[in-house]
């Protein structure tokens, strides 16, 4: 790329052009921007000349499409774009960029990948020649130290040496034949970067001066000491700057999920401050649905992300704090005219202060939400229905009652001590984390054995007990009471929260609906999945429904025994495997029928298909089948059997679509392109197939039930995409997806077949919960389709479907307090960003008249481009 950036006037011109012509067809598929997205493009076009912007549309409103159009406008204007994204979102971003006809290399995740661009044998171009680079937030989280391989840090001294040669016509002493500087990729990178800088003609950045400053501050030969590049050591920042030179100067910096990693020393902050090189005209676009999550100070961090100066941030802070106080006052005294007047003034100041920087569309502009409000006669926020799954301690078994009391008593008995395990018992009895350790030691006496704390550290009980004999005796007694309560019981399978969630899930899936479950702690989530699958297996056998399992996995036997007891099943345990084998044979016969026509149907469906990558992968698949690779055929058949609806069983086009979706889920779109020419040749496709076969084997040759699946930190990216693909199809397993919060709350679109969310473990951060619910609450969701159908069928207003949210609350435990705090924080978030100052529960409880609530809520600041008055 050798164009010169034509400036923001040119970008503005293209943005207005895109907004005025929202429907267009790309090389891959057509798409149309909606009216709200077009209004956003116009607003950005009118404001980005002066400052960076925060694109804070609510989750699922299509922020990425807006950012892609802005990227396209900058590239057409001769500019360069850096897109900084969380590590797990590269797949989604490349898909969206492809829809916008924007080419970019694979997401940059590692330093090895960075240097690979300068391998002589491939056709890759240096990063600074790419118009668009997608870079992981975690890119510069390098672990460097004295024992690190030199290639990991050698770019800085190599750059220093090459620049010395070019500027002073000689290498520094000790450079030649230095074994620490013998890496070809590093050497190629340094020479390429120096050559680029010498010939740089960027009008808004003096790269020669930047390079001179960097090399002047680089000590020689001290720069050859690997220990100087540790996270907090002197040369780490210089190395990050050197890497930035290889990426080049950017005119637009897009920061996706900009609320993440707020700390000044986080990987994202270092990437922004040290690695990414801006020009004098560079603008930042921060994308986040939750610019503020827990407290008002987070506005400062979010505004700093778009590079506002200190004075601008201080001015905004004052109005934000004033508005927050006004919200509290009007909630306390909504009937007071003066209080409402002060709130109205504070709201206008709040909007005026942030209007130049903040752009946010919320669900009020979603056509489905508006349709719900119009047809239900309820406020728009009622399209989400929150129903608590409450576990009352009064209804617990005697064993669990004793456990709750014992955990509380242990917390009091060890107050002031260093007993981490026992302190956590009170906090985690409601969700199963921590207490599961004790339950799993139910066959031992805890006062004789070591216990393991939730972090996995084995700790002798004697190290925890108080020095005073009385306290020690109390702790011993309560520990024994806690453990004795569960002798003979079945660990977490009988945990009240897990059992309550299971019953709620089964009630929903019995209606043919899917369920998304979120939780924080892996072990309780694993037990939940095992229990759901075991219970569904027994039901399938009882009702003679197919179950994709031929025999019982050894790891599943305990869950099956518990499920058998819980359901009081009349199927003899000893006959289960025999019954499984019989029904599995029927399932195999159905798969065989599909398999017999599989190759012909895919082949016919791919005729004229415009994605050569998919066609060549199919040719590779055909070739191994011709060579009698029966396992490949069986695995693809199993996948297609799950992905195809019954009505599509004879449609070649449906086979082709499902095969293409499967291939795209199993691999990144650039994977296999070893020569870097942007195309997957037939030879490359043949080499790629064994890797796809391995992933198919892992996913579709499992000996466990697929009705419920777990997605956690150890789940491979390819597996996550396959699960996402199947969960978004109503007929495909899993029916229940249980996701660890950190893994599933961002970057996964799970809305095509699901509108029910269960929150198993309460969060502290309302922004996190918004992200979780946002997995199913998106444009084009299953809920919106069901709503339209219900309205067309003339169903009554109280029968209209909603997005159902079920927090699991273990009353009488710390969970109940946790939920109360979360609700308060959630109300504060809604007041600032959602236009909901008077929450629905204040209206339904009779605290505030509905008309008055609507009047106050209408005074709330609205940052939609469709509602700005005088902002332009």
């Amino acid at each position: 790329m050798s164009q010169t950036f034509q400036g923001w006037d040119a970008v503005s011109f293209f943005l207005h052009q895109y907004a005025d012509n929202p429907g267009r067809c790309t090389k891959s598929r057509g798409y149309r921007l909606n009216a709200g997205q077009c209004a956003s493009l116009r607003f950005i076009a009118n404001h980005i000349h002066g400052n960076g912007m925060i694109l804070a549309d609510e989750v699922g409103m299509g922020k990425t499409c807006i950012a892609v159009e802005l990227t396209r406008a900058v590239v057409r204007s001769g500019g360069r774009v850096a897109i900084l994204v969380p590590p797990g979102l590269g797949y989604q971003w490349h898909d969206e960029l492809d829809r916008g006809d924007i080419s970019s290399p694979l997401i940059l995740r590692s330093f090895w990948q960075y240097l690979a661009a300068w391998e002589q044998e491939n056709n890759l171009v240096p990063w600074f020649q790419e118009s668009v680079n997608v870079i992981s937030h975690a890119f510069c989280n390098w672990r460097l130290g004295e024992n690190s391989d030199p290639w990991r840090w050698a770019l800085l001294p190599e750059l220093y040496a090459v620049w010395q040669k070019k500027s002073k016509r000689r290498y520094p002493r000790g450079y030649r034949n230095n074994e620490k500087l013998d890496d070809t990729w590093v050497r190629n990178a340094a020479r390429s970067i120096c050559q680029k800088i010498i010939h740089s003609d960027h009008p808004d950045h003096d790269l020669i001066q930047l390079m001179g400053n960097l090399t002047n501050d680089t000590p020689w030969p001290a720069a050859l000491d690997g220990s100087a590049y540790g996270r907090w050591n002197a040369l780490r920042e210089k190395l990050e700057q050197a890497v930035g030179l290889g990426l080049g100067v950017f005119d637009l910096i897009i920061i996706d999920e900009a609320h993440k990693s707020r700390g000044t020393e986080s990987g994202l902050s270092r990437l922004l401050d040290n690695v990414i090189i801006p020009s004098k005209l560079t603008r930042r676009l921060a994308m986040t649905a939750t610019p503020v999550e827990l407290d008002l100070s987070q506005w400062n961090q979010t505004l700093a992300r778009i590079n506002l100066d200190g004075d601008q941030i201080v001015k905004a802070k004052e109005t934000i704090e004033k508005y927050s106080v006004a919200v509290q006052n009007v909630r306390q005294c909504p009937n007071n005219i003066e209080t409402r007047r002060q709130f109205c003034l504070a709201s206008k100041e709040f909007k005026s202060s942030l209007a130049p920087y903040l752009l946010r569309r919320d669900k009020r502009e979603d056509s489905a939400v508006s349709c719900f409000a119009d047809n239900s006669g309820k406020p728009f926020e009622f399209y989400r229905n929150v129903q608590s799954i409450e576990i009352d301690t009064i209804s617990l078994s005697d064993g669990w009652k004793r456990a709750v009391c014992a955990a509380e008593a242990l917390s009091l008995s060890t107050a002031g001590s260093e007993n981490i395990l026992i302190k956590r018992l009170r906090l985690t009895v409601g969700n199963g984390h921590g207490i599961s350790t004790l339950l799993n030691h139910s066959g031992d006496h805890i006062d004789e054995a070591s216990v393991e704390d939730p972090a996995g550290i084995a700790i002798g009980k004697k190290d925890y007990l108080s020095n005073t004999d009385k306290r020690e005796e109390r702790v011993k007694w309560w520990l024994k009471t806690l453990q004795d309560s569960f002798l003979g019981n079945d660990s977490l399978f009988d945990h009240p929260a897990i059992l309550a969630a299971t019953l709620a899930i089964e009630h929903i899936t019995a209606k043919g609906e899917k369920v998304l479950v979120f939780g924080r702690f892996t072990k309780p989530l694993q037990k939940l999945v095992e229990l759901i699958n075991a219970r569904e297996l027994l039901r399938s056998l009882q009702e003679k429904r197919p179950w994709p399992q031929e025999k019982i996995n050894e790891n599943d036997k305990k869950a099956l025994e518990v499920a058998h007891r819980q359901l009081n099943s009349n199927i003899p345990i000893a006959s289960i495997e025999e019954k499984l084998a019989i029904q599995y044979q029927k399932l195999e016969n159905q798969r065989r029928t599909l398999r017999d026509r599989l190759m012909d149907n895919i082949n016919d469906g791919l005729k004229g298909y415009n994605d050569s990558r998919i066609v060549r992968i199919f040719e590779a698949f055909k070739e191994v089948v011709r060579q009698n690779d029966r396992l490949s055929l069986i695995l693809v058949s199993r996948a297609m059997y799950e992905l195809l609806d019954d009505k599509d069983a004879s449609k070649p086009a449906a086979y082709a679509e499902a095969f293409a979706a499967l291939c795209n889920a199993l691999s990144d779109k650039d994977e296999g392109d070893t020569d870097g020419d942007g195309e997957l040749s037939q030879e490359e496709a043949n080499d790629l197939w064994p890797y796809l076969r391995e992933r198919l084997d892992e996913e579709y040759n499992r000996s466990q039930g697929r009705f419920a699946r777990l997605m956690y930190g150890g789940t491979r990216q390819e597996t996550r995409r396959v699960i996402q693909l199947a969960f978004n199809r109503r007929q495909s397993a899993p029916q229940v997806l249980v996701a660890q919060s950190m893994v599933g709350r961002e970057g996964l679109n799970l809305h095509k077949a699901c509108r029910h969310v269960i929150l198993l473990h309460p969060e502290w951060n309302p922004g996190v919960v918004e992200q979780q619910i946002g997995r199913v609450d998106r444009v084009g969701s299953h809920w919106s389709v069901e709503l339209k159908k219900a309205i067309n069928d003339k169903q009554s207003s109280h029968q209209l479907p909603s997005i159902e949210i079920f927090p699991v609350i273990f009353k009488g435990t710390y969970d109940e307090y946790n939920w109360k705090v979360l609700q308060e924080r959630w109300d504060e978030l809604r007041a600032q960003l959602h236009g909901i100052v008077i929450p629905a529960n204040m209206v339904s409880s009779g605290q505030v008249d509905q008309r008055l609530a609507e009047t106050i809520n209408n005074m709330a600041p609205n940052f939609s481009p469709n509602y700005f008055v005088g902002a332009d």
Side-chain angles (χ1 to χ4, degrees), residues 368-514:
V369 174
S370 299
C371 188
F372 175 88
D374 293 341
N375 286 272
S376 68
K378 300 175 182 177
F380 80 93
E381 63 265 29
F382 278 73
Y383 83 97
R384 287 185 180 180
N385 183 32
V386 180
Q387 303 178 63
S388 297
I389 300 172
E390 295 187 350
I391 302 148
D392 198 325
T393 50
I394 296 175
S395 64
L396 298 179
S397 66
D398 290 343
W400 272 101
K401 286 178 181 176
R402 286 194 295 271
V404 172
C405 292
E408 188 71 25
L410 279 168
S411 177
L412 295 173
S413 299
T414 57
S417 78
E418 296 302 316
N419 191 330
I420 299 172
L421 172 64
I422 296 175
K423 281 181 179 179
R424 289 187 180 178
L425 283 174
R426 174 173 171 258
L427 306 183
T428 62
V429 67
N431 55 48
H433 181 61
I435 199 171
S436 63
T437 304
L438 297 178
L439 297 180
N440 290 335
H441 280 63
S442 59
D444 305 321
H445 283 295
I446 198 162
D447 57 329
E448 298 292 337
S450 292
V451 297
E452 187 175 280
D453 80 349
I457 305 170
I459 305 172
K461 181 176 142 296
K462 64 181 181 180
D463 295 329
Y464 279 150
L465 296 179
S466 168
N467 292 328
T468 64
D469 293 339
K470 288 185 178 180
R471 176 179 284 184
E472 183 173 346
E473 289 304 313
R474 284 198 298 271
V475 171
K476 284 182 179 180
W477 193 88
W478 282 114
L479 278 169
K480 187 174 187 304
T481 299
L482 180 62
Q483 193 171 38
D484 288 350
S485 298
F486 296 96
L487 289 176
N489 277 354
D490 295 296
S491 184
L492 288 175
F493 291 124
D494 284 311
H495 189 287
I498 289 178
L499 196 51
T502 300
L503 294 174
I505 288 166
E506 290 173 345
H507 179 72
I508 296 166
T509 56
K511 301 175 183 177
E513 293 280 355
K514 294 196 173 191

Side-chain angles (χ1 to χ4, degrees), residues 739-759:
Q740 192 178 40
S741 177
M742 292 294 291
V743 173
R745 73 181 187 226
E746 289 166 348
L748 291 175
N749 296 334
L750 303 169
H751 60 297
K752 296 292 187 181
C754 179
R755 63 180 179 91
H756 295 81
V757 180
I758 290 181
L759 308 174

Side-chain angles (χ1 to χ4, degrees), residues 584 588 591 634-642 700-701:
Y584 188 79
E588 272 299 289
R591 288 171 172 170
I634 289 172
L635 292 173
V636 173
S637 298
R638 287 179 182 175
M640 298 290 284
Y641 181 84
E642 290 200 13
Y700 291 100
N701 211 10

Side-chain angles (χ1 to χ4, degrees), residues 3-7 9-12 14 72-79:
Q3 288 181 292
T4 299
F5 182 46
Q6 298 165 33
D9 285 340
V11 173
S12 178
F14 287 124
R72 195 160 68 100
V74 171
V75 172
R76 284 188 68 183
S77 303

Side-chain angles (χ1 to χ4, degrees), residues 764-781:
W764 290 105
N765 188 337
V768 169
V769 182
E770 278 294 329
Q771 291 283 356
Q772 292 171 343
I773 298 170
R775 298 310 98 209
V776 304
D777 187 2
R778 311 185 75 78
V779 173
S781 67

